């Protein structure tokens, strides 16, 4: 008799969908990356789009300068989408697309390609993030005002529920809320408030078929964040699941238990990844993944992990593979999937879950009292709360109350061999943008111009009449309309929007150290006025957390701060510096486009006669690029390793002082370029 005789076969649960968030430069390069990852065992795709694509601009638009292909793939028209999925059968694929303001358009392109492949719409599986409300609070890739944006979200939901029934039309995305500093209760309550706002919008539509509401509810999914507070994160996910079921029954009367299931995908926290001792990030990522996989009742349906070196720059394919292998080892080498929920019956877990649920219910009631999620966004209440939470987090790290290994404790260690050598960090060539501009010019010249005009007219008519935007968008995709033309058409109908920054006189911060305050006060006496700082975010980068915290702390130490939010042109920043009489200009760029954008800002300052005003830059910037920036005349460069904001404030004061010294002592010379 064999050694295994008599042993019952253990039935394992199916593993979650294994993904990596990927996409860069061109559709052809990204397609190569996707096919390589699928060959390595990835079981779904998660597409990252570049900022022009996310905000509805073509690659040759002024605002696209420096941004093409940097944080994702550039998709300008049907030809690009066709190339992106070449030799990838969409009928068998589960595709997640991180896209919000232009979600109807990218979905239209995807559906058009699926049709070309012969894939029935009823077979397509995947997700459009399509959560525009959190974009006003965190990631910043919104375009239109809240009301028309919600209408577009609703249109995608209604269209897919009827025509693409296996598609998740919306990921309520709390991931970026935590990246912006949200506490667990804020992440829970803000995400659920957003889901309620969207579902109420769908339900209240005059043309909506009430009988289909359970199906609509059942197709809403979530995309969450998992941080390092391991026990709290497990409890947060269980609280999410139980509160969602509660909302389904009590607010919407959903009887079918299957429709009430909390379905979510996850990317674990990128906010906590460190530039210092970056190899430690591998352990952080693994621990965070456990928080969303160990508890069966709150297990993610799909997991994507950041790479260990994302605080340094774009990850290489090998870096992404390393993160994928973490998932595969947990799913296939351990016995995790053989057991029921291992936390059921834990008094510690149950108590923490109840605490989070009670606090979240109270916060939801408060948001409801304001008028709901949209009103709370428009008044700036939610954004201000996030900025304040992030300020507390940063202050705790500065003070050493929150330990970050390798950053504020245990800083001394061996140099990492993983970061050594040429090619340790992937970078996108600046030629990508020029080549994309050439390709789109050719695309425009070779398409049927009359068909494009007709399609755009139909799109405008749908937007103005209130008809569902999806059929007209699909027709436009097939006619050869570009991303920028789709965006421009809807901008013409809906207008554009600038969300509150959260940095106001009322915003509460953790304050600043006395040393920094005194230094700025002394500088003010020397200047004969309050030192003036302009904080600018050139380009399309919407990750404003760093800029907000710099502006907030600068206010507290005594600077006169001007911060107008995201998506500014270099010309607008230079004009603001001239208008305010700035003593220093600080540029925040996290999209990898720092070299071309800083070059343009510096050129505009010279043209305006403002070359005497020092410029400092913050972002995810490699040592090589830091040298390039300083050779352009940038006076200081700050990266994620510079976590102590008071020290940045002291650095800004010294930059101004050295500029004054240079003007006094060396009037015929250029100011020193490197400090």
């Amino acid at each position: 008799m064999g050694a295994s005789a008599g042993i019952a076969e253990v039935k394992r649960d199916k593993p979650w969908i294994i993904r990596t968030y990927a996409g860069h430069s061109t559709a052809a390069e990204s397609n190569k990356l996707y096919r390589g990852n699928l060959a390595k065992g990835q079981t779904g795709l998660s597409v990252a789009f570049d900022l022009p694509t996310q905000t509805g601009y073509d690659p040759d638009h002024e605002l696209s300068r420096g941004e093409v292909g940097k944080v994702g793939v550039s998709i300008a028209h049907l030809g690009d989408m066709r190339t992106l999925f070449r030799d990838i059968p969409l009928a068998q694929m589960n595709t997640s697309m991180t896209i919000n303001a232009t979600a109807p358009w990218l979905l239209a392109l995807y559906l058009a390609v699926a049709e070309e492949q012969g894939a029935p719409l009823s077979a397509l599986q995947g997700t459009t993030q399509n959560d525009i409300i959190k974009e006003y609070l965190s990631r910043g890739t919104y375009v239109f005002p809240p009301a028309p944006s919600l209408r577009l979200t609703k249109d995608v939901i209604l269209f897919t529920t009827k025509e693409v029934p296996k598609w998740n039309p919306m990921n309520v995305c709390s991931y970026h809320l935590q990246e912006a500093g949200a506490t667990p209760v804020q992440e829970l309550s803000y995400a659920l408030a957003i889901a309620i706002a969207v579902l109420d919008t769908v339900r209240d539509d005059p043309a909506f078929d009430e009988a289909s509401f359970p199906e609509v509810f059942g197709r809403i999914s979530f995309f969450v964040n998992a941080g390092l507070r391991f026990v709290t994160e497990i409890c947060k996910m269980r609280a999410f699941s139980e509160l969602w079921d509660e909302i389904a029954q009590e607010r919407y009367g959903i009887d079918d238990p299957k429709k009430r299931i909390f379905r979510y995908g996850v990317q674990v926290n990128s906010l906590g990844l460190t530039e210092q001792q970056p190899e430690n990030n591998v352990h952080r990522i693994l621990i965070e993944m456990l928080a969303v996989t160990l508890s069966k009742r709150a297990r993610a349906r799909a997991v994507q992990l950041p790479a260990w070196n994302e605080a340094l720059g774009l990850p290489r394919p090998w870096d992404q593979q390393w993160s994928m292998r973490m998932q595969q080892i947990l799913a296939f080498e351990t016995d995790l999937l053989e057991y029921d929920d291992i936390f059921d019956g834990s008094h510690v877990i149950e108590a923490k879950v109840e605490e989070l649920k009670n606090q979240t219910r109270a916060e939801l009631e408060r948001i409801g009292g304001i008028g709901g999620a949209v009103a709370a966004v428009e008044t700036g209440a939610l954004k201000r709360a996030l900025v304040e939470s992030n300020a507390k987090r940063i202050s705790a790290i500065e003070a050493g109350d929150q330990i970050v290994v390798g950053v504020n404790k245990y800083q001394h260690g061996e140099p990492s061999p993983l970061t050594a050598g040429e090619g340790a960090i992937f970078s996108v060539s600046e030629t990508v943008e020029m080549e994309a501009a050439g390709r789109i010019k050719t695309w425009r010249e070779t398409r049927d111009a009359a068909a494009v005009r007709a399609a755009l007219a139909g799109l405008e008519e749908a937007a103005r009449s209130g008809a569902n935007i999806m059929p007209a968008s699909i027709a436009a995709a097939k006619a050869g309309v570009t991303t920028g033309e789709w965006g421009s058409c809807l901008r013409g109908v809906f207008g554009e929007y600038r969300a509150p920054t959260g940095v106001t006189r009322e915003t509460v911060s953790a304050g600043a150290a006395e040393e920094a305050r005194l230094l700025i006060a002394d500088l003010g006496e020397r200047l004969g006025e309050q030192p003036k700082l302009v904080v600018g975010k050139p380009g399309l980068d919407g990750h404003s957390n760093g800029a907000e915290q710099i502006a907030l702390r600068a206010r507290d130490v005594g600077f006169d701060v001007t911060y107008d939010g995201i998506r500014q042109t270099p010309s607008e920043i230079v004009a603001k510096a001239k208008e305010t009489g700035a003593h220093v200009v600080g540029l925040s760029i996290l999209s990898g486009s720092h070299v071309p954008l800083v070059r343009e800002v510096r050129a505009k300052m010279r043209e305006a006669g403002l070359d005497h005003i020092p410029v400092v830059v913050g972002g995810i910037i490699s040592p090589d690029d830091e040298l390039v920036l300083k050779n352009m005349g940038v006076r200081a460069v700050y990266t994620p390793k510079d976590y102590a904001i008071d020290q940045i404030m002291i650095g800004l004061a010294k930059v101004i002082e050295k500029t004054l010294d240079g003007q006094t002592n060396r009037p015929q010379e250029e100011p020193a370029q490197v400090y």
Side-chain angles (χ1 to χ4, degrees):
M1 183 177 290
S4 61
I7 298 176
E9 183 179 348
V10 176
K11 186 179 185 302
R12 292 174 60 89
D13 290 334
K14 288 179 62 177
W16 51 88
I17 297 169
I18 297 173
R19 291 183 173 131
T20 54
Y21 181 51
H24 64 80
S25 60
T26 67
E29 285 298 311
S30 295
N31 172 261
K32 180 180 175 182
L33 177 64
Y34 296 161
R35 287 187 287 111
N37 284 344
L38 290 169
K40 294 170 186 172
Q42 185 172 299
T43 56
L45 293 178
S46 181
V47 182
F49 297 100
D50 73 355
L51 290 172
T53 304
Q54 292 185 50
T55 51
Y57 293 107
D58 285 334
D60 56 353
H61 191 278
E62 177 192 8
L63 279 170
S64 300
R65 200 164 299 152
E67 306 281 17
V68 177
K70 287 288 172 63
V71 301
V73 59
S74 172
I75 299 295
H77 47 68
L78 182 62
D80 285 341
M81 189 67 91
R82 192 182 288 141
T83 300
L84 187 67
F85 293 107
R86 182 181 295 142
D87 298 324
I88 298 175
L90 298 187
Q92 284 84 50
M93 188 51 53
N94 191 305
T95 305
S96 172
M97 296 193 285
T98 301
I99 197 74
N100 294 283
T102 55
W105 174 242
L106 272 295
L107 178 58
L109 291 172
Y110 187 86
L111 297 180
V113 170
E115 185 177 315
E116 289 181 350
Q117 289 188 1
L121 298 189
S122 60
L124 298 181
Q125 298 184 70
T127 306
T128 33
Q129 192 167 99
N130 201 27
D131 178 0
I132 198 62
I133 300 178
K134 62 89 181 169
E135 293 296 319
Y136 302 121
L137 297 173
S138 51
R139 195 158 161 267
T141 63
Y142 57 82
V143 176
F144 316 114
S149 294
L150 263 180
R151 174 257 176 109
L152 295 181
T153 300
K154 176 202 69 177
D155 285 354
V156 171
I157 291 171
L158 293 179
F159 179 85
T160 54
T161 301
K162 183 178 179 182
E163 305 291 342
V164 199
K166 294 182 180 179
W167 193 265
N168 300 321
M170 182 187 185
N171 259 154
V172 181
C173 182
S174 72
Y175 174 83
H176 294 104
L177 298 177
Q178 188 177 130
E179 295 290 296
T183 65
V185 170
Q186 286 173 327
E187 187 179 347
L188 282 161
S189 57
Y190 294 6
L192 292 171
I194 288 168
I196 288 168
V198 171
L199 286 167
D200 285 356
T201 300
V202 171
R203 185 185 59 181
D204 295 342
D205 185 272
F208 177 60
D209 177 11
E210 185 69 29
S212 68
F213 191 78
E215 190 62 35
V216 169
F217 190 95
R219 295 315 306 173
I220 300 296
S221 60
F222 286 72
F223 186 69
V224 306
N225 201 327
L228 272 167
R229 290 180 59 79
F230 176 70
V231 174
T232 299
E233 294 294 340
I234 292 173
C235 295
K236 181 188 77 180
M237 297 320 308
R238 290 168 72 101
F240 247 137
S241 179
E242 292 175 22
L243 286 166
W244 186 239
D245 186 81
E246 190 176 292
I247 289 168
Q249 295 186 74
E250 295 180 7
R251 186 180 183 93
Y252 297 113
I254 306 294
D255 296 323
D256 186 347
K258 291 184 178 180
K259 303 299 183 188
R260 302 198 305 262
I261 293 173
F262 181 76
R263 299 178 307 113
Y264 79 98
V266 65
Q267 172 156 320
V268 306
N269 192 293
S270 295
L271 182 66
L273 300 183
T274 64
E275 182 180 359
Q276 302 95 317
Q277 300 180 18
E279 64 278 4
N280 294 340
N281 294 328
V282 175
H283 315 312
R284 294 183 175 106
I285 292 166
L286 175 60
I287 291 167
E288 290 167 344
M289 176 178 64
L290 294 177
V292 294
T293 52
L294 289 185
S295 177
K296 181 175 179 177
R297 287 203 294 119
R299 184 171 295 151
R301 296 292 186 93
V303 176
Q304 59 191 47
L305 304 179
W308 67 281
N309 56 353
E310 287 192 17
L312 308 178
L314 287 174
R316 301 158 297 185
W318 183 88
D319 305 315
Q320 292 187 331
Q321 174 184 298
W322 201 7
S323 287
M324 191 193 312
R325 294 296 185 243
M326 288 189 213
Q327 296 197 52
Q328 291 167 330
I329 289 167
L330 180 64
F332 301 114
E333 292 191 23
T334 76
D335 59 353
L336 172 66
L337 299 179
E338 297 171 10
Y339 292 93
D340 288 333
D341 200 306
I342 59 177
F343 294 101
D344 282 353
S346 165
H347 299 305
V348 172
I349 296 292
E350 289 173 359
K352 184 63 177 178
V353 169
E354 285 305 312
E355 176 190 338
L356 289 172
K357 285 166 60 178
N358 289 334
Q359 292 174 346
T360 299
R361 291 187 190 103
E363 183 64 10
L364 280 170
E365 187 173 341
R366 189 186 72 82
I367 294 170
I370 298 173
V374 174
V377 165
E378 292 174 328
T379 63
L382 296 191
K383 180 64 173 177
R384 187 167 62 249
L386 286 177
V387 172
E388 291 175 351
S389 293
N390 205 16
K392 288 179 184 177
R393 181 188 67 84
I394 292 171
S395 179
I397 294 171
E398 287 181 282
D401 297 331
Q402 180 175 327
I403 292 173
V404 182
V405 173
V407 174
N408 61 2
K409 196 163 188 177
Y410 312 117
Q411 297 100 322
H412 301 294
E414 299 298 323
S416 171
L418 294 173
T419 60
E422 189 175 344
I425 298 297
F426 176 78
S427 60
V428 175
S429 170
E430 287 195 46
T431 63
V432 165
E433 184 172 318
M434 181 174 61
E435 293 163 359
R439 283 195 303 273
I440 198 168
K441 181 182 178 186
T442 301
W443 177 267
R444 294 189 190 112
E445 290 171 348
T446 55
R447 64 189 181 176
D448 184 336
V452 169
R453 286 194 299 272
L456 286 171
L459 181 67
E460 181 178 352
E461 170 59 26
R464 292 192 185 282
S465 69
N468 192 296
I469 208 71
M470 285 303 301
S473 295
I474 294 170
K478 293 178 179 178
V481 167
T482 69
T483 296
E485 290 166 341
W486 185 90
S488 178
C489 178
L490 296 194
R491 280 179 169 91
V493 177
F494 300 141
E496 293 192 70
Y497 185 72
R498 185 168 288 277
T501 66
V503 180
T504 69
R505 293 181 185 276
E506 295 77 29
T507 305
V508 177
S509 76
E514 190 65 18
E515 179 189 1
R517 291 179 188 274
L518 291 174
L519 191 60
I520 303 305
D522 290 345
L523 178 61
E525 287 187 17
R526 183 174 176 186
L527 289 168
E529 61 179 326
Q530 190 177 9
K532 297 182 177 67
L533 165 67
V534 168
V535 178
K537 283 199 64 65
L540 298 175
D541 171 32
H543 287 88
S544 58
N545 306 335
E548 291 155 4
Q549 295 305 317
I550 291 294
L552 193 61
R553 187 68 60 85
R555 177 203 72 179
D556 291 345
V557 299
F559 276 100
D560 179 355
V561 183
T562 299
Y563 172 57
D564 292 334
I566 64 172
R567 218 174 298 166
Q568 298 171 293
T569 65
S571 295
E572 289 171 336
I573 293 170
V574 172
K576 187 62 69 172
K578 187 170 187 176
E579 174 192 331
T580 61
H583 298 108
V584 61
V585 172
L587 303 177
S588 171
I589 308 167
L590 282 87
S591 62
S593 57
H594 40 269
V595 170
L597 286 174
V598 171
R599 184 187 296 128
E600 188 170 355
V601 170
R602 292 283 296 150
K604 298 281 187 188
M605 290 181 76
R606 282 192 295 273
E607 291 171 10
L610 302 179
D611 203 30
H612 61 284
I613 301 176
V615 173
V616 303
V617 179
I620 299 175
I621 299 168
S622 68
D624 288 345
D625 280 356
E626 180 174 345
L627 184 60
V628 170
L629 294 177
K630 286 182 174 177
N631 284 335
M632 288 181 194
V634 170
R635 304 303 182 84
V637 172
Y638 299 101
T639 67
K641 71 179 183 301
D642 301 297
Y643 69 94
I645 301 183
D646 278 341
Q647 291 304 309
I648 295 176
M649 296 298 109
I650 291 170
L652 293 180
K654 289 181 177 179
V655 163
I656 298 172
E657 286 177 345
K658 289 191 178 185
T659 300
L660 292 174
D661 291 342
Q663 291 169 352
T664 302
N665 302 325
R666 296 181 286 117
Q668 302 304 317
E669 298 179 22
E670 284 292 314
Q673 294 184 341
V674 180
Y675 294 116

